[in-house]
Amino acid sequence: AEEIIEEARQGRMFILADQLRQSSDDLTRMVRTYVITGDARYKRQHQEILDIRDGKLPRPLDYHNIYWDLVGADDQRPRPSGPAVALLTLMQRAGFTDTELALLAQAKAASDNLADTERAAMALIDPGDAAAPVKRAQAIGMLHDDVYHRAKAAVMRPISEFYRLADVRTLQGVQSAETEVVWMRVAF
């Protein structure tokens, strides 16, 4: 029973880390779609993703499951929301090691910094502006240049390191449990 609880806890930890990765990818998709289309709902959804992640808006139930890809032109949400709670708070409660939590906090900070660039690109989009085509091209460039890709890598690198460390930790747990089982069999 203890092993089952531990396995569930470990799985939950990976799901939370995955939400950070997914939110960064969703932010990128929303900003790029907004800049190309000028459809204001993508700009609103970009901010909504940030607000959910920061605990300013209620977190959708089963948010780790496919969510934003199911929000269509009608802007209807696929599931209701639960309480508002920041993703980092959920991670702190889940039992990450200090090193793992630091890596994920680093990734979130990098994602927040990238969101500043994304907001700057969105600010260039004003369909009524005579210089709109030039500004749109500038915004597109901001979201596809080397600086943007390096910033995106700065988000993903600590998440990748978290996965590596967590994999090593969970593998050690499995090996320890296997050793314990062998000794219990011998003793039995």
Side-chain angles (χ1 to χ4, degrees), residues 15-25 53 87-88 91 103-109 111 155-156 159:
I15 286 171
L16 290 170
D18 224 26
Q19 283 183 34
L20 181 57
R21 178 182 180 183
Q22 185 62 49
S23 69
S24 180
D25 288 343
R53 188 168 74 180
L87 182 57
L88 284 180
M91 290 175 174
L103 285 167
L104 295 171
Q106 177 186 350
K108 186 194 176 295
S111 182
V155 174
M156 297 302 165
I159 295 172

Side-chain angles (χ1 to χ4, degrees), residues 58-87:
R59 177 172 294 282
L61 299 176
D62 297 324
Y63 196 44
H64 63 279
N65 199 344
I66 296 168
Y67 186 82
W68 289 105
D69 292 308
L70 301 177
V71 177
D74 61 0
D75 210 27
Q76 293 298 306
R77 302 307 194 255
R79 288 181 293 285
S81 293
V85 58
L87 182 57

Side-chain angles (χ1 to χ4, degrees), residues 27 41-54 56-58 60 63 67-68 71 75 77 81:
L27 290 167
R41 86 183 137 109
Y42 295 106
K43 184 177 183 180
R44 285 190 308 272
Q45 289 174 1
H46 183 274
Q47 187 60 50
E48 190 175 341
I49 292 165
L50 290 168
D51 289 345
I52 290 168
R53 188 168 74 180
D54 288 340
K56 295 176 184 176
L57 287 177
Y63 196 44
Y67 186 82
W68 289 105
V71 177
D75 210 27
R77 302 307 194 255
S81 293

